[in-house]
Amino acid sequence: QVLLVESGGGSVQAGGSLRLSCAASGDTNSGRYMGWFRQAPGKEREGIATASTRSATTYYANSVQGRFTISQDNAKNTLYLQMNSLKPEDTAMYYCAARASRPMGGVFAETEYDYWGQGTQVTVSS
C-alpha cells in the first residue's frame, strides 16, 4: 500500500503561482511512477503531468506544457508540481496518483493508477 497526501493548494489570482506537494509513504516501491491529475467541476478528470522515480523522463498535457513543472525529491518521497502563469481554467481539484511502473495504456491512463491522494483544491480568479 502507498499512502499519498497532497498539499499546497489554495486561491491565487490569474498569472500567479502555486507549488503542490504529494508526500508518499508506505510501500513506495509500489509507487515509483507518479502523476498529477485534476478534475474541474462538471468535467472529467484529466492527467496533466507524470514522472518516474527511476528516470528523468516527464510528460505533460498540452494544456499545462510550458507552465507547469513536475519534479520529485526521492529522498523525501515527495512529488511536486510547480504551477506558474496560472489561468482561471486551471481551477480544479488536483490529485496525486501512483503505480509501480509506467502505465501500459498511456501515461495519463488514470484507471491504471493504483494509489490516489485525497486531492487539494486550486482556485484561480481572474
PDB file of all heavy atoms in Angstrom, residues 4-44:
ATOM      1  N   LEU A   4      -0.749   8.525  -0.210  1.00  0.00           N
ATOM      2  CA  LEU A   4      -0.381   9.778  -0.853  1.00  0.00           C
ATOM      3  C   LEU A   4      -1.153  10.922  -0.208  1.00  0.00           C
ATOM      4  O   LEU A   4      -2.373  10.853  -0.072  1.00  0.00           O
ATOM      5  CB  LEU A   4      -0.703   9.719  -2.351  1.00  0.00           C
ATOM      6  CG  LEU A   4      -0.063   8.578  -3.144  1.00  0.00           C
ATOM      7  CD1 LEU A   4      -0.597   8.542  -4.561  1.00  0.00           C
ATOM      8  CD2 LEU A   4       1.451   8.701  -3.143  1.00  0.00           C
ATOM      9  N   VAL A   5      -0.441  11.954   0.167  1.00  0.00           N
ATOM     10  CA  VAL A   5      -1.078  13.107   0.792  1.00  0.00           C
ATOM     11  C   VAL A   5      -0.635  14.367   0.066  1.00  0.00           C
ATOM     12  O   VAL A   5       0.546  14.717   0.084  1.00  0.00           O
ATOM     13  CB  VAL A   5      -0.717  13.210   2.286  1.00  0.00           C
ATOM     14  CG1 VAL A   5      -1.383  14.428   2.897  1.00  0.00           C
ATOM     15  CG2 VAL A   5      -1.143  11.938   3.020  1.00  0.00           C
ATOM     16  N   GLU A   6      -1.610  15.046  -0.555  1.00  0.00           N
ATOM     17  CA  GLU A   6      -1.310  16.280  -1.277  1.00  0.00           C
ATOM     18  C   GLU A   6      -1.432  17.487  -0.361  1.00  0.00           C
ATOM     19  O   GLU A   6      -2.177  17.468   0.628  1.00  0.00           O
ATOM     20  CB  GLU A   6      -2.274  16.491  -2.456  1.00  0.00           C
ATOM     21  CG  GLU A   6      -2.294  15.390  -3.494  1.00  0.00           C
ATOM     22  CD  GLU A   6      -3.443  14.428  -3.276  1.00  0.00           C
ATOM     23  OE1 GLU A   6      -3.883  14.284  -2.119  1.00  0.00           O
ATOM     24  OE2 GLU A   6      -3.910  13.823  -4.257  1.00  0.00           O
ATOM     25  N   SER A   7      -0.709  18.530  -0.707  1.00  0.00           N
ATOM     26  CA  SER A   7      -0.815  19.797   0.000  1.00  0.00           C
ATOM     27  C   SER A   7      -0.373  20.909  -0.941  1.00  0.00           C
ATOM     28  O   SER A   7       0.178  20.645  -2.009  1.00  0.00           O
ATOM     29  CB  SER A   7       0.044  19.783   1.273  1.00  0.00           C
ATOM     30  OG  SER A   7       1.406  19.599   0.934  1.00  0.00           O
ATOM     31  N   GLY A   8      -0.638  22.133  -0.534  1.00  0.00           N
ATOM     32  CA  GLY A   8      -0.164  23.268  -1.313  1.00  0.00           C
ATOM     33  C   GLY A   8      -1.205  23.976  -2.139  1.00  0.00           C
ATOM     34  O   GLY A   8      -0.917  25.013  -2.757  1.00  0.00           O
ATOM     35  N   GLY A   9      -2.412  23.438  -2.174  1.00  0.00           N
ATOM     36  CA  GLY A   9      -3.450  24.104  -2.931  1.00  0.00           C
ATOM     37  C   GLY A   9      -3.869  25.407  -2.262  1.00  0.00           C
ATOM     38  O   GLY A   9      -3.475  25.714  -1.138  1.00  0.00           O
ATOM     39  N   GLY A  10      -4.676  26.183  -2.979  1.00  0.00           N
ATOM     40  CA  GLY A  10      -5.166  27.433  -2.435  1.00  0.00           C
ATOM     41  C   GLY A  10      -5.780  28.294  -3.510  1.00  0.00           C
ATOM     42  O   GLY A  10      -6.062  27.828  -4.609  1.00  0.00           O
ATOM     43  N   SER A  11      -5.980  29.547  -3.171  1.00  0.00           N
ATOM     44  CA  SER A  11      -6.571  30.507  -4.103  1.00  0.00           C
ATOM     45  C   SER A  11      -5.506  31.489  -4.543  1.00  0.00           C
ATOM     46  O   SER A  11      -4.730  31.982  -3.719  1.00  0.00           O
ATOM     47  CB  SER A  11      -7.728  31.235  -3.425  1.00  0.00           C
ATOM     48  OG  SER A  11      -8.766  30.342  -3.092  1.00  0.00           O
ATOM     49  N   VAL A  12      -5.497  31.793  -5.824  1.00  0.00           N
ATOM     50  CA  VAL A  12      -4.496  32.696  -6.378  1.00  0.00           C
ATOM     51  C   VAL A  12      -5.123  33.440  -7.550  1.00  0.00           C
ATOM     52  O   VAL A  12      -6.068  32.948  -8.178  1.00  0.00           O
ATOM     53  CB  VAL A  12      -3.248  31.893  -6.815  1.00  0.00           C
ATOM     54  CG1 VAL A  12      -3.582  30.937  -7.957  1.00  0.00           C
ATOM     55  CG2 VAL A  12      -2.103  32.813  -7.177  1.00  0.00           C
ATOM     56  N   GLN A  13      -4.600  34.605  -7.831  1.00  0.00           N
ATOM     57  CA  GLN A  13      -5.078  35.359  -8.981  1.00  0.00           C
ATOM     58  C   GLN A  13      -4.408  34.856 -10.254  1.00  0.00           C
ATOM     59  O   GLN A  13      -3.309  34.268 -10.210  1.00  0.00           O
ATOM     60  CB  GLN A  13      -4.802  36.843  -8.789  1.00  0.00           C
ATOM     61  CG  GLN A  13      -5.670  37.495  -7.732  1.00  0.00           C
ATOM     62  CD  GLN A  13      -5.557  39.011  -7.732  1.00  0.00           C
ATOM     63  OE1 GLN A  13      -4.514  39.558  -8.070  1.00  0.00           O
ATOM     64  NE2 GLN A  13      -6.629  39.697  -7.358  1.00  0.00           N
ATOM     65  N   ALA A  14      -5.060  35.099 -11.352  1.00  0.00           N
ATOM     66  CA  ALA A  14      -4.509  34.702 -12.648  1.00  0.00           C
ATOM     67  C   ALA A  14      -3.119  35.296 -12.826  1.00  0.00           C
ATOM     68  O   ALA A  14      -2.869  36.453 -12.464  1.00  0.00           O
ATOM     69  CB  ALA A  14      -5.426  35.169 -13.766  1.00  0.00           C
ATOM     70  N   GLY A  15      -2.224  34.467 -13.348  1.00  0.00           N
ATOM     71  CA  GLY A  15      -0.843  34.882 -13.515  1.00  0.00           C
ATOM     72  C   GLY A  15       0.049  34.498 -12.358  1.00  0.00           C
ATOM     73  O   GLY A  15       1.282  34.570 -12.452  1.00  0.00           O
ATOM     74  N   GLY A  16      -0.562  34.069 -11.264  1.00  0.00           N
ATOM     75  CA  GLY A  16       0.198  33.706 -10.082  1.00  0.00           C
ATOM     76  C   GLY A  16       0.737  32.290 -10.147  1.00  0.00           C
ATOM     77  O   GLY A  16       0.600  31.593 -11.166  1.00  0.00           O
ATOM     78  N   SER A  17       1.345  31.872  -9.044  1.00  0.00           N
ATOM     79  CA  SER A  17       1.987  30.563  -8.975  1.00  0.00           C
ATOM     80  C   SER A  17       1.608  29.840  -7.697  1.00  0.00           C
ATOM     81  O   SER A  17       1.294  30.474  -6.682  1.00  0.00           O
ATOM     82  CB  SER A  17       3.514  30.719  -9.017  1.00  0.00           C
ATOM     83  OG  SER A  17       3.944  31.325 -10.210  1.00  0.00           O
ATOM     84  N   LEU A  18       1.648  28.531  -7.767  1.00  0.00           N
ATOM     85  CA  LEU A  18       1.472  27.671  -6.605  1.00  0.00           C
ATOM     86  C   LEU A  18       2.376  26.461  -6.788  1.00  0.00           C
ATOM     87  O   LEU A  18       2.683  26.070  -7.923  1.00  0.00           O
ATOM     88  CB  LEU A  18       0.033  27.187  -6.472  1.00  0.00           C
ATOM     89  CG  LEU A  18      -1.025  28.148  -5.920  1.00  0.00           C
ATOM     90  CD1 LEU A  18      -2.408  27.511  -6.023  1.00  0.00           C
ATOM     91  CD2 LEU A  18      -0.720  28.522  -4.482  1.00  0.00           C
ATOM     92  N   ARG A  19       2.780  25.866  -5.681  1.00  0.00           N
ATOM     93  CA  ARG A  19       3.511  24.601  -5.750  1.00  0.00           C
ATOM     94  C   ARG A  19       2.768  23.564  -4.925  1.00  0.00           C
ATOM     95  O   ARG A  19       2.580  23.741  -3.720  1.00  0.00           O
ATOM     96  CB  ARG A  19       4.935  24.733  -5.248  1.00  0.00           C
ATOM     97  CG  ARG A  19       5.751  23.456  -5.513  1.00  0.00           C
ATOM     98  CD  ARG A  19       7.196  23.561  -5.104  1.00  0.00           C
ATOM     99  NE  ARG A  19       7.404  23.352  -3.687  1.00  0.00           N
ATOM    100  CZ  ARG A  19       8.541  22.927  -3.154  1.00  0.00           C
ATOM    101  NH1 ARG A  19       9.572  22.660  -3.931  1.00  0.00           N
ATOM    102  NH2 ARG A  19       8.655  22.793  -1.837  1.00  0.00           N
ATOM    103  N   LEU A  20       2.380  22.509  -5.586  1.00  0.00           N
ATOM    104  CA  LEU A  20       1.726  21.406  -4.903  1.00  0.00           C
ATOM    105  C   LEU A  20       2.762  20.362  -4.505  1.00  0.00           C
ATOM    106  O   LEU A  20       3.752  20.171  -5.203  1.00  0.00           O
ATOM    107  CB  LEU A  20       0.683  20.753  -5.815  1.00  0.00           C
ATOM    108  CG  LEU A  20      -0.391  21.665  -6.411  1.00  0.00           C
ATOM    109  CD1 LEU A  20      -1.385  20.833  -7.206  1.00  0.00           C
ATOM    110  CD2 LEU A  20      -1.074  22.479  -5.347  1.00  0.00           C
ATOM    111  N   SER A  21       2.491  19.702  -3.398  1.00  0.00           N
ATOM    112  CA  SER A  21       3.347  18.619  -2.927  1.00  0.00           C
ATOM    113  C   SER A  21       2.511  17.369  -2.737  1.00  0.00           C
ATOM    114  O   SER A  21       1.326  17.449  -2.408  1.00  0.00           O
ATOM    115  CB  SER A  21       4.008  18.986  -1.601  1.00  0.00           C
ATOM    116  OG  SER A  21       4.822  20.122  -1.720  1.00  0.00           O
ATOM    117  N   CYS A  22       3.143  16.230  -2.937  1.00  0.00           N
ATOM    118  CA  CYS A  22       2.498  14.940  -2.706  1.00  0.00           C
ATOM    119  C   CYS A  22       3.486  14.066  -1.958  1.00  0.00           C
ATOM    120  O   CYS A  22       4.481  13.623  -2.529  1.00  0.00           O
ATOM    121  CB  CYS A  22       2.092  14.291  -4.017  1.00  0.00           C
ATOM    122  SG  CYS A  22       1.462  12.602  -3.854  1.00  0.00           S
ATOM    123  N   ALA A  23       3.209  13.847  -0.695  1.00  0.00           N
ATOM    124  CA  ALA A  23       4.091  13.037   0.132  1.00  0.00           C
ATOM    125  C   ALA A  23       3.636  11.585   0.086  1.00  0.00           C
ATOM    126  O   ALA A  23       2.459  11.291   0.362  1.00  0.00           O
ATOM    127  CB  ALA A  23       4.084  13.555   1.566  1.00  0.00           C
ATOM    128  N   ALA A  24       4.552  10.704  -0.247  1.00  0.00           N
ATOM    129  CA  ALA A  24       4.246   9.281  -0.331  1.00  0.00           C
ATOM    130  C   ALA A  24       4.837   8.552   0.859  1.00  0.00           C
ATOM    131  O   ALA A  24       5.938   8.852   1.302  1.00  0.00           O
ATOM    132  CB  ALA A  24       4.804   8.700  -1.622  1.00  0.00           C
ATOM    133  N   SER A  25       4.092   7.587   1.370  1.00  0.00           N
ATOM    134  CA  SER A  25       4.581   6.753   2.464  1.00  0.00           C
ATOM    135  C   SER A  25       4.068   5.336   2.272  1.00  0.00           C
ATOM    136  O   SER A  25       3.187   5.087   1.450  1.00  0.00           O
ATOM    137  CB  SER A  25       4.139   7.311   3.822  1.00  0.00           C
ATOM    138  OG  SER A  25       2.728   7.344   3.906  1.00  0.00           O
ATOM    139  N   GLY A  26       4.624   4.433   3.050  1.00  0.00           N
ATOM    140  CA  GLY A  26       4.254   3.028   2.911  1.00  0.00           C
ATOM    141  C   GLY A  26       5.204   2.323   1.972  1.00  0.00           C
ATOM    142  O   GLY A  26       6.403   2.578   1.982  1.00  0.00           O
ATOM    143  N   ASP A  27       4.679   1.437   1.147  1.00  0.00           N
ATOM    144  CA  ASP A  27       5.489   0.670   0.207  1.00  0.00           C
ATOM    145  C   ASP A  27       5.756   1.517  -1.034  1.00  0.00           C
ATOM    146  O   ASP A  27       5.157   1.315  -2.089  1.00  0.00           O
ATOM    147  CB  ASP A  27       4.753  -0.621  -0.163  1.00  0.00           C
ATOM    148  CG  ASP A  27       5.562  -1.478  -1.130  1.00  0.00           C
ATOM    149  OD1 ASP A  27       6.777  -1.231  -1.274  1.00  0.00           O
ATOM    150  OD2 ASP A  27       4.978  -2.389  -1.754  1.00  0.00           O
ATOM    151  N   THR A  28       6.702   2.425  -0.924  1.00  0.00           N
ATOM    152  CA  THR A  28       6.946   3.367  -2.022  1.00  0.00           C
ATOM    153  C   THR A  28       7.501   2.683  -3.271  1.00  0.00           C
ATOM    154  O   THR A  28       7.442   3.252  -4.363  1.00  0.00           O
ATOM    155  CB  THR A  28       7.876   4.496  -1.579  1.00  0.00           C
ATOM    156  OG1 THR A  28       9.064   3.923  -1.035  1.00  0.00           O
ATOM    157  CG2 THR A  28       7.207   5.377  -0.535  1.00  0.00           C
ATOM    158  N   ASN A  29       8.016   1.466  -3.134  1.00  0.00           N
ATOM    159  CA  ASN A  29       8.451   0.731  -4.325  1.00  0.00           C
ATOM    160  C   ASN A  29       7.272   0.427  -5.248  1.00  0.00           C
ATOM    161  O   ASN A  29       7.456   0.209  -6.447  1.00  0.00           O
ATOM    162  CB  ASN A  29       9.143  -0.571  -3.938  1.00  0.00           C
ATOM    163  CG  ASN A  29      10.552  -0.344  -3.428  1.00  0.00           C
ATOM    164  OD1 ASN A  29      11.234   0.565  -3.891  1.00  0.00           O
ATOM    165  ND2 ASN A  29      10.995  -1.165  -2.502  1.00  0.00           N
ATOM    166  N   SER A  30       6.080   0.407  -4.683  1.00  0.00           N
ATOM    167  CA  SER A  30       4.880   0.162  -5.487  1.00  0.00           C
ATOM    168  C   SER A  30       4.327   1.442  -6.102  1.00  0.00           C
ATOM    169  O   SER A  30       3.295   1.420  -6.766  1.00  0.00           O
ATOM    170  CB  SER A  30       3.784  -0.474  -4.618  1.00  0.00           C
ATOM    171  OG  SER A  30       4.181  -1.756  -4.183  1.00  0.00           O
ATOM    172  N   GLY A  31       5.024   2.545  -5.863  1.00  0.00           N
ATOM    173  CA  GLY A  31       4.537   3.824  -6.377  1.00  0.00           C
ATOM    174  C   GLY A  31       5.622   4.616  -7.060  1.00  0.00           C
ATOM    175  O   GLY A  31       5.710   5.827  -6.871  1.00  0.00           O
ATOM    176  N   ARG A  32       6.456   3.922  -7.858  1.00  0.00           N
ATOM    177  CA  ARG A  32       7.588   4.609  -8.466  1.00  0.00           C
ATOM    178  C   ARG A  32       7.202   5.429  -9.683  1.00  0.00           C
ATOM    179  O   ARG A  32       8.004   6.245 -10.140  1.00  0.00           O
ATOM    180  CB  ARG A  32       8.665   3.594  -8.827  1.00  0.00           C
ATOM    181  CG  ARG A  32       9.358   3.024  -7.596  1.00  0.00           C
ATOM    182  CD  ARG A  32      10.621   2.293  -7.957  1.00  0.00           C
ATOM    183  NE  ARG A  32      11.341   1.840  -6.782  1.00  0.00           N
ATOM    184  CZ  ARG A  32      12.161   2.598  -6.077  1.00  0.00           C
ATOM    185  NH1 ARG A  32      12.365   3.848  -6.442  1.00  0.00           N
ATOM    186  NH2 ARG A  32      12.774   2.099  -5.023  1.00  0.00           N
ATOM    187  N   TYR A  33       6.043   5.195 -10.243  1.00  0.00           N
ATOM    188  CA  TYR A  33       5.587   6.035 -11.355  1.00  0.00           C
ATOM    189  C   TYR A  33       4.430   6.885 -10.827  1.00  0.00           C
ATOM    190  O   TYR A  33       3.429   6.346 -10.348  1.00  0.00           O
ATOM    191  CB  TYR A  33       5.137   5.206 -12.552  1.00  0.00           C
ATOM    192  CG  TYR A  33       5.111   6.054 -13.803  1.00  0.00           C
ATOM    193  CD1 TYR A  33       6.244   6.165 -14.603  1.00  0.00           C
ATOM    194  CD2 TYR A  33       3.987   6.797 -14.151  1.00  0.00           C
ATOM    195  CE1 TYR A  33       6.260   6.979 -15.712  1.00  0.00           C
ATOM    196  CE2 TYR A  33       3.997   7.623 -15.261  1.00  0.00           C
ATOM    197  CZ  TYR A  33       5.131   7.707 -16.038  1.00  0.00           C
ATOM    198  OH  TYR A  33       5.147   8.528 -17.133  1.00  0.00           O
ATOM    199  N   MET A  34       4.598   8.193 -10.919  1.00  0.00           N
ATOM    200  CA  MET A  34       3.643   9.074 -10.271  1.00  0.00           C
ATOM    201  C   MET A  34       3.146  10.149 -11.232  1.00  0.00           C
ATOM    202  O   MET A  34       3.830  10.492 -12.200  1.00  0.00           O
ATOM    203  CB  MET A  34       4.269   9.735  -9.049  1.00  0.00           C
ATOM    204  CG  MET A  34       4.793   8.739  -8.027  1.00  0.00           C
ATOM    205  SD  MET A  34       5.453   9.510  -6.562  1.00  0.00           S
ATOM    206  CE  MET A  34       3.936  10.031  -5.751  1.00  0.00           C
ATOM    207  N   GLY A  35       1.992  10.652 -10.931  1.00  0.00           N
ATOM    208  CA  GLY A  35       1.434  11.665 -11.801  1.00  0.00           C
ATOM    209  C   GLY A  35       0.499  12.609 -11.077  1.00  0.00           C
ATOM    210  O   GLY A  35       0.048  12.325  -9.961  1.00  0.00           O
ATOM    211  N   TRP A  36       0.244  13.707 -11.723  1.00  0.00           N
ATOM    212  CA  TRP A  36      -0.738  14.674 -11.254  1.00  0.00           C
ATOM    213  C   TRP A  36      -1.928  14.673 -12.205  1.00  0.00           C
ATOM    214  O   TRP A  36      -1.758  14.729 -13.425  1.00  0.00           O
ATOM    215  CB  TRP A  36      -0.139  16.074 -11.190  1.00  0.00           C
ATOM    216  CG  TRP A  36       0.834  16.280 -10.074  1.00  0.00           C
ATOM    217  CD1 TRP A  36       2.193  16.246 -10.150  1.00  0.00           C
ATOM    218  CD2 TRP A  36       0.516  16.547  -8.704  1.00  0.00           C
ATOM    219  NE1 TRP A  36       2.746  16.480  -8.915  1.00  0.00           N
ATOM    220  CE2 TRP A  36       1.740  16.670  -8.006  1.00  0.00           C
ATOM    221  CE3 TRP A  36      -0.681  16.714  -7.989  1.00  0.00           C
ATOM    222  CZ2 TRP A  36       1.794  16.944  -6.635  1.00  0.00           C
ATOM    223  CZ3 TRP A  36      -0.625  16.982  -6.643  1.00  0.00           C
ATOM    224  CH2 TRP A  36       0.598  17.094  -5.973  1.00  0.00           C
ATOM    225  N   PHE A  37      -3.097  14.628 -11.619  1.00  0.00           N
ATOM    226  CA  PHE A  37      -4.349  14.701 -12.358  1.00  0.00           C
ATOM    227  C   PHE A  37      -5.171  15.841 -11.765  1.00  0.00           C
ATOM    228  O   PHE A  37      -4.926  16.263 -10.644  1.00  0.00           O
ATOM    229  CB  PHE A  37      -5.128  13.384 -12.227  1.00  0.00           C
ATOM    230  CG  PHE A  37      -4.459  12.226 -12.903  1.00  0.00           C
ATOM    231  CD1 PHE A  37      -3.344  11.617 -12.351  1.00  0.00           C
ATOM    232  CD2 PHE A  37      -4.952  11.727 -14.106  1.00  0.00           C
ATOM    233  CE1 PHE A  37      -2.716  10.540 -12.984  1.00  0.00           C
ATOM    234  CE2 PHE A  37      -4.348  10.650 -14.739  1.00  0.00           C
ATOM    235  CZ  PHE A  37      -3.235  10.067 -14.175  1.00  0.00           C
ATOM    236  N   ARG A  38      -6.152  16.285 -12.520  1.00  0.00           N
ATOM    237  CA  ARG A  38      -7.036  17.310 -11.982  1.00  0.00           C
ATOM    238  C   ARG A  38      -8.443  17.102 -12.505  1.00  0.00           C
ATOM    239  O   ARG A  38      -8.652  16.516 -13.558  1.00  0.00           O
ATOM    240  CB  ARG A  38      -6.547  18.718 -12.329  1.00  0.00           C
ATOM    241  CG  ARG A  38      -6.634  19.072 -13.814  1.00  0.00           C
ATOM    242  CD  ARG A  38      -6.024  20.443 -14.060  1.00  0.00           C
ATOM    243  NE  ARG A  38      -6.119  20.837 -15.466  1.00  0.00           N
ATOM    244  CZ  ARG A  38      -5.582  21.947 -15.964  1.00  0.00           C
ATOM    245  NH1 ARG A  38      -4.895  22.773 -15.168  1.00  0.00           N
ATOM    246  NH2 ARG A  38      -5.719  22.235 -17.247  1.00  0.00           N
ATOM    247  N   GLN A  39      -9.396  17.597 -11.716  1.00  0.00           N
ATOM    248  CA  GLN A  39     -10.792  17.497 -12.118  1.00  0.00           C
ATOM    249  C   GLN A  39     -11.500  18.790 -11.782  1.00  0.00           C
ATOM    250  O   GLN A  39     -11.587  19.180 -10.610  1.00  0.00           O
ATOM    251  CB  GLN A  39     -11.490  16.327 -11.433  1.00  0.00           C
ATOM    252  CG  GLN A  39     -12.901  16.089 -11.949  1.00  0.00           C
ATOM    253  CD  GLN A  39     -13.462  14.760 -11.497  1.00  0.00           C
ATOM    254  OE1 GLN A  39     -13.030  14.175 -10.511  1.00  0.00           O
ATOM    255  NE2 GLN A  39     -14.442  14.249 -12.241  1.00  0.00           N
ATOM    256  N   ALA A  40     -11.978  19.440 -12.811  1.00  0.00           N
ATOM    257  CA  ALA A  40     -12.741  20.674 -12.642  1.00  0.00           C
ATOM    258  C   ALA A  40     -14.219  20.319 -12.492  1.00  0.00           C
ATOM    259  O   ALA A  40     -14.660  19.263 -12.950  1.00  0.00           O
ATOM    260  CB  ALA A  40     -12.531  21.586 -13.842  1.00  0.00           C
ATOM    261  N   PRO A  41     -14.988  21.178 -11.867  1.00  0.00           N
ATOM    262  CA  PRO A  41     -16.421  20.908 -11.687  1.00  0.00           C
ATOM    263  C   PRO A  41     -17.108  20.643 -13.021  1.00  0.00           C
ATOM    264  O   PRO A  41     -16.935  21.403 -13.980  1.00  0.00           O
ATOM    265  CB  PRO A  41     -16.942  22.200 -11.045  1.00  0.00           C
ATOM    266  CG  PRO A  41     -15.765  22.771 -10.351  1.00  0.00           C
ATOM    267  CD  PRO A  41     -14.589  22.443 -11.227  1.00  0.00           C
ATOM    268  N   GLY A  42     -17.830  19.536 -13.075  1.00  0.00           N
ATOM    269  CA  GLY A  42     -18.573  19.205 -14.282  1.00  0.00           C
ATOM    270  C   GLY A  42     -17.746  18.613 -15.391  1.00  0.00           C
ATOM    271  O   GLY A  42     -18.259  18.371 -16.492  1.00  0.00           O
ATOM    272  N   LYS A  43     -16.470  18.379 -15.140  1.00  0.00           N
ATOM    273  CA  LYS A  43     -15.592  17.836 -16.174  1.00  0.00           C
ATOM    274  C   LYS A  43     -14.972  16.532 -15.711  1.00  0.00           C
ATOM    275  O   LYS A  43     -14.932  16.227 -14.529  1.00  0.00           O
ATOM    276  CB  LYS A  43     -14.501  18.847 -16.532  1.00  0.00           C
ATOM    277  CG  LYS A  43     -15.015  20.121 -17.176  1.00  0.00           C
ATOM    278  CD  LYS A  43     -13.869  20.986 -17.649  1.00  0.00           C
ATOM    279  CE  LYS A  43     -14.369  22.235 -18.360  1.00  0.00           C
ATOM    280  NZ  LYS A  43     -13.235  23.076 -18.848  1.00  0.00           N
ATOM    281  N   GLU A  44     -14.488  15.766 -16.694  1.00  0.00           N
ATOM    282  CA  GLU A  44     -13.807  14.531 -16.362  1.00  0.00           C
ATOM    283  C   GLU A  44     -12.411  14.827 -15.822  1.00  0.00           C
ATOM    284  O   GLU A  44     -11.805  15.858 -16.116  1.00  0.00           O
ATOM    285  CB  GLU A  44     -13.708  13.640 -17.604  1.00  0.00           C
ATOM    286  CG  GLU A  44     -15.050  13.143 -18.102  1.00  0.00           C
ATOM    287  CD  GLU A  44     -14.899  12.153 -19.240  1.00  0.00           C
ATOM    288  OE1 GLU A  44     -13.772  11.977 -19.726  1.00  0.00           O
ATOM    289  OE2 GLU A  44     -15.924  11.565 -19.635  1.00  0.00           O
TER     290      GLU A  44
END
